[in-house]
Amino acid sequence: MIKTASLAAAALVAALTFGAPAQAANLDEGIVQYRVENFEEAQALLQKARAEQPESSLAAFYLGMARKQGGDIAGAIKDLTDAATLKPPVLDAYLELADAWHVQGDDDKALEWANRSEAAGVNPARSAFLKGIILGGLGKSDEAVASFEKAKRLDPSLNQPAQLQIAMAMAGSRKLTRARDALRAVVAADPNSEIAGYAREYEQSFTRILESYRPLHLTLGLNYLYDDNAISSPSNAGARAQIGNPTGQRDHAFMGSFRLDYNPLLENDYTFSAQYLVQSTKYGDTNTAEENPSTVINSLTVNPGRSFGNSIFSLPINFSHVFLKEKEYQVLVTVRPTWSWQAAPQHILQAAANFTRRDMLQDPLVQDEDRDANIGGASAGYIFSYGDQGGMAALRYDFSYDDARGVNWKNRGHRYSASGVIPLTSAVKLNLSGEVSTQDYFKTNTVFDIQRDDTTWFGTAGLSWNLTGNVALLAQYSHTTAKSNIKVYDYNRNTFSTGIEFSF
């Protein structure tokens, strides 16, 4: 409860201005009941006082305070706003409104009233302290720390709680070393206080994080793959004969992966990650290198970013080099600026644009089949997380415009996808995904004399079992159905893989 000279002044002005003795009885008795913490009786009396004196800012203030103490925050905000705006205003209402809006979850309005309270000189130390809490809720860590430092200077009794809040703000901006130092200062100020006990626990947690954090992570994967259509042979027998493959191609393969992730612990609002990935898929049953669909993919991704409160902007840049059939096949360079916004707890919205440069490293048979291209696109997505074991569901839409050099490959694409992670136990997760994509080609195909139109369905179901923190078993089934009005591009494919993954 805030008790300052401004209340006494407001009471005197109200008595002189509005104070007919019969009307003042309910207000006076309501204030008395509020001060002895009989909030229900106070609220009843103060409601009568407000009806009798609708222009009384003092009646509005005490009724708002009584409602606030009773848990009616929305009602308190209405009365406190009247107290702050009627003539003469009760200045203490500014700070109480800042606190009420913060409790209500609207930190933008809370900050507005905290600034007014600070400017009016209402309880300067507590105004600065509350403003720091509000700024922290808005993700403005540096400004929050400045407010807490001001509160410490104005009122030494706030030193410990302010230091604890400073540590939390530092932790929020990933300044863990400085957060740990701030917590040690809390403990040193009064080791036997309750706040020191909390600070000591946090300080030990931050110390463990700093000592155990490793920016580099290495992952190795070994998998066996069965593929019932390794070269995407057409479903139509005539189309298979047309391309010289009358029987299709079942095969098995061994897959290996090497992934190196770098995630430094940056301070403030900046983020950065990098990844180098090598994936090799070696098929075994095909007879010649020309038929063998084995691949080796080298990929490097760097992803700088910056957070802005509840959102983050990132700029992933990827370079990929692909070998196919033991020959250089293509190079891809992709830039994908992405905005991710946490609209509410557990709910994330994403929007992205992308540009990809694709260079094929083998000459096409004819110029119209040249797939070198500039590819532009955009996407929008939604992610929902649930539970405490990593449950997740996501929806996404992607648009692409493939401006290939050869007219047979110029197309516009749409892809709709859904995915989810379902924790079965703390160690076992079911992974599901599905998508449908369409590609509309702009020109009549000069080889088949028809304007191509493709629709592709793809789905996967997999299980991951974390045997330990460093070893996981994996199994996955996937199915592809591609429908095209040009039959050589029309096929079905099923794959099953199982393997093990090691993390270091």
Side-chain angles (χ1 to χ4, degrees):
M1 187 190 308
I2 301 170
K3 299 179 180 178
T4 68
S6 59
L7 280 181
L12 178 61
V13 171
L16 293 173
T17 307
F18 308 113
Q23 293 180 330
N26 285 320
L27 175 57
D28 292 343
E29 183 60 23
I31 293 174
V32 170
Q33 293 299 322
Y34 175 82
R35 287 175 173 170
V36 297
E37 300 185 2
N38 292 327
F39 299 122
E40 290 185 8
E41 294 87 342
Q43 186 170 328
L45 289 164
L46 292 165
Q47 284 175 322
K48 293 178 182 178
R50 283 229 67 190
E52 294 165 352
Q53 304 178 55
E55 297 303 314
S56 171
S57 57
L58 193 64
F61 176 78
Y62 272 105
L63 179 56
M65 292 299 293
R67 292 188 193 277
K68 188 178 177 186
Q69 293 289 351
D72 180 9
I73 303 300
I77 288 173
K78 179 180 182 300
D79 289 311
L80 289 170
T81 301
D82 287 344
T85 54
L86 289 170
K87 303 297 183 182
V90 179
L91 299 184
D92 285 355
Y94 296 172
L95 186 53
E96 296 296 343
L97 275 168
D99 181 59
W101 278 116
H102 174 65
V103 172
Q104 195 79 335
D106 191 334
D107 279 334
D108 288 319
K109 283 191 174 66
L111 182 59
E112 176 186 335
W113 284 105
N115 284 331
R116 293 182 66 173
S117 178
E118 191 174 45
V122 179
N123 203 325
R126 294 193 177 277
S127 289
F129 187 86
L130 179 57
K131 183 178 176 180
I133 291 175
I134 295 166
L135 288 166
L138 290 169
K140 300 178 179 180
S141 301
D142 291 340
E143 295 177 53
V145 169
S147 284
F148 291 129
E149 292 286 1
K150 180 179 179 180
K152 285 167 51 183
R153 291 194 303 272
L154 293 170
D155 185 352
S157 70
L158 291 175
N159 182 67
Q160 270 198 315
Q163 278 293 120
L164 183 62
Q165 293 295 332
I166 288 171
M168 297 300 101
M170 294 288 187
S173 58
R174 296 185 297 279
K175 298 176 181 178
L176 296 186
T177 300
R178 293 176 62 185
R180 181 181 61 180
D181 293 341
L183 290 168
R184 288 174 176 171
V186 174
V187 176
D190 185 357
N192 297 319
S193 67
E194 185 178 358
I195 290 178
Y198 290 125
R200 192 177 290 108
E201 292 180 10
Y202 283 123
E203 186 266 330
Q204 291 171 352
S205 298
F206 291 161
T207 298
R208 286 193 295 269
I209 292 171
L210 289 167
E211 290 176 348
S212 63
Y213 186 77
R214 295 180 295 114
L216 282 174
H217 294 271
L218 172 64
T219 304
L220 299 175
L222 298 171
N223 291 271
Y224 166 80
L225 172 74
Y226 172 76
D227 190 336
D228 73 354
N229 190 0
I231 60 174
S232 302
S233 183
S235 302
N236 182 275
R240 290 200 301 271
Q242 187 176 355
I243 63 171
N245 185 262
T247 60
Q249 183 65 60
R250 291 185 175 88
D251 206 345
H252 64 272
F254 288 96
M255 300 186 299
S257 64
F258 170 94
R259 187 176 78 239
L260 184 64
D261 292 285
Y262 177 58
N263 295 281
L265 192 62
L266 301 183
E267 294 187 353
N268 295 319
D269 298 323
Y270 296 97
T271 64
F272 181 80
S273 63
Q275 181 186 94
Y276 174 63
L277 174 65
V278 181
Q279 293 176 299
S280 175
T281 304
K282 180 65 175 177
Y283 284 87
D285 287 346
T286 48
N287 296 319
T288 67
E290 287 299 323
E291 296 175 344
N292 194 310
S294 297
T295 59
V296 177
I297 302 173
N298 281 272
S299 176
L300 176 65
T301 302
V302 294
N303 186 13
R306 190 178 191 278
S307 60
F308 301 87
N310 292 331
S311 63
I312 184 169
F313 175 79
S314 58
L315 187 66
I317 303 170
N318 174 265
F319 171 84
S320 296
H321 181 275
V322 182
F323 282 86
L324 175 65
K325 300 178 182 179
E326 301 180 0
K327 295 180 180 179
E328 288 189 320
Y329 179 63
Q330 70 176 359
V331 168
L332 298 167
V333 179
T334 299
V335 180
R336 186 183 180 85
T338 302
W339 187 272
S340 301
W341 175 47
Q342 185 171 348
Q346 301 175 291
H347 300 268
I348 296 175
L349 300 177
Q350 284 188 329
N354 64 79
F355 172 79
T356 299
R357 173 61 192 177
R358 181 179 63 213
D359 287 309
M360 308 303 295
L361 302 179
Q362 300 175 22
D363 294 331
L365 295 177
V366 295
Q367 187 62 39
D368 292 341
E369 289 289 308
D370 191 343
R371 294 183 60 196
D372 288 352
N374 294 319
I375 306 169
S379 66
Y382 164 71
I383 302 171
F384 170 67
S385 60
Y386 63 91
D388 56 2
Q389 295 182 346
M392 183 274 292
L395 299 172
R396 180 165 153 173
Y397 165 74
D398 291 88
F399 169 80
S400 63
Y401 184 90
D402 191 329
D403 187 20
R405 183 177 297 175
V407 295
N408 290 344
W409 289 94
K410 292 179 182 288
N411 70 86
R412 176 178 55 241
H414 304 272
R415 182 172 64 182
Y416 309 86
S417 59
S419 60
V421 177
I422 302 173
L424 303 181
T425 70
S426 59
V428 180
K429 292 182 173 62
L430 174 64
N431 304 279
L432 301 172
S433 67
E435 65 181 53
V436 57
S437 60
T438 62
Q439 288 176 291
D440 303 317
Y441 291 80
F442 299 136
K443 303 292 184 177
T444 298
N445 191 287
T446 58
V447 176
F448 298 97
D449 197 27
I450 189 173
Q451 189 169 341
R452 182 177 168 185
D453 186 4
D454 292 357
T455 301
T456 304
W457 289 267
F458 176 75
T460 66
L463 284 172
S464 60
W465 178 16
N466 293 319
L467 296 177
T468 70
N470 303 102
V471 181
L473 295 180
L474 309 171
Q476 180 175 286
Y477 166 77
S478 66
H479 172 79
T480 304
T481 294
K483 294 296 184 182
S484 177
N485 58 348
I486 298 178
K487 294 305 180 182
V488 296
Y489 301 114
D490 190 301
Y491 69 92
N492 292 310
R493 185 180 186 184
N494 297 281
T495 65
F496 173 78
S497 65
T498 183
I500 189 169
E501 190 173 82
F502 302 92
S503 300
F504 306 93

